[in-house]
Amino acid sequence: MYNPTVARLTYRALLGRRRAAILFVLPALLIVIAVAVRAFAGVDDQVATDVLGGFAIATMVPLIGVIAGTGAIGPEIDDGSIVYLLAKPVRRPTIIVTKLTVAIAVTMVFSALPTFVAGMILNGNGQQIAVAYTIAALVASIAYSALFLLLGTVSRHAVVFGLVYALVWEALFGSLVPGARTLSVQQWSLALAAKVGGDGAITSDVGLPLATVLLAAVTVAATWYAGQKLRTLKLAGEE
């Protein structure tokens, strides 16, 4: 279910100059914010929680997920170059799983690592806040990558729909409508962070058992459906 050649081509597409520059912007901004906040506010657990929860998890992780998830397959479908890959003797579910693996790896590197560094800068991992939010970023990276890879497979406007989900549903509705938080990858990942962090340091509107089930279900379902949709793409001359 993993093809090294497909993985190499996907890494090359995601980490090209243009897309890599975009991927570096948000992590760099998080580190700059963390340094500035630490300089002005000193060590404060609540401030660390606000910065990591409000920017890293709520904004940076989903946006990087959009870039990596949709970029892993969307451009190939848009410009038609996917037909060259589909013509190879590689099973289409294998293509999806390989591209998902690459998208997850890229999202984790560009979101979880800077989240941990920012957390250490902000409060030196007091109350396990840096580690807790790093774990949240890791698990959210998996679900976001699967969701946005699916969007890249089914729509030519995947980036737009991904941004709507990340910025409107997660950030806007998730903060204003309590019921919407149950269907939020952000809240599911925060449930795991709340378990790791100190008592009361991190909160989530979703319980840990439900969050774990939803994270797994969404990841598996999105990956399976993306594989099914890729099967329906027909090459010229196919019957």
Side-chain angles (χ1 to χ4, degrees):
M1 294 300 289
Y2 182 85
N3 186 283
T5 301
V6 174
R8 184 174 66 255
L9 294 173
T10 306
Y11 275 118
R12 185 180 300 173
L14 286 179
L15 300 178
R17 290 183 180 180
R18 183 177 178 182
R19 191 166 279 113
I22 298 174
L23 287 170
F24 273 107
V25 169
L26 289 172
L29 181 58
L30 174 62
I31 300 301
V32 169
I33 292 173
V35 171
V37 169
R38 175 62 184 270
F40 287 104
V43 177
D44 189 311
D45 292 344
Q46 184 57 53
V47 171
T49 298
D50 292 341
V51 172
L52 296 179
F55 183 78
I57 301 300
T59 302
M60 183 184 73
V61 180
L63 289 181
I64 291 176
V66 169
I67 297 170
T70 61
I73 195 169
E76 291 176 286
I77 294 178
D78 291 343
D79 63 20
S81 61
I82 189 71
V83 298
Y84 299 106
L85 180 58
L86 298 181
K88 302 297 182 182
V90 181
R91 295 176 63 246
R92 297 186 184 187
T94 298
I95 295 173
I96 289 295
V97 171
T98 302
K99 286 182 172 293
L100 175 61
T101 301
V102 173
I104 289 173
V106 170
T107 306
M108 285 181 171
V109 168
F110 284 92
S111 61
L113 183 58
T115 296
F116 178 75
V117 172
M120 295 300 293
I121 292 172
L122 287 165
N123 79 331
N125 197 37
Q127 296 196 68
Q128 293 293 306
I129 288 175
V131 171
Y133 277 109
T134 299
I135 292 174
L138 288 171
V139 297
S141 295
I142 299 173
Y144 282 132
S145 296
L147 280 173
F148 297 136
L149 180 68
L150 172 60
L151 281 178
T153 306
V154 302
S155 173
R156 291 181 177 273
H157 306 289
V159 174
V160 174
F161 290 131
L163 290 175
V164 168
Y165 176 82
L167 299 179
V168 177
W169 180 264
E170 292 265 7
L172 182 59
F173 281 94
S175 62
L176 299 178
V177 183
R181 298 170 189 167
T182 305
L183 300 176
S184 167
V185 174
Q186 175 188 339
Q187 292 298 320
W188 304 342
S189 64
L190 286 176
L192 276 75
K195 182 68 175 179
V196 176
D199 292 339
I202 303 170
T203 59
S204 172
D205 292 323
V206 182
L208 181 58
L210 178 60
T212 303
V213 171
L214 289 173
L215 282 166
V218 165
T219 301
V220 172
T223 304
W224 174 82
Y225 192 60
Q228 295 303 305
K229 293 300 292 184
L230 196 62
R231 286 177 184 273
T232 67
L233 289 177
K234 297 295 184 181
L235 302 177
E238 276 190 344
E239 297 294 330

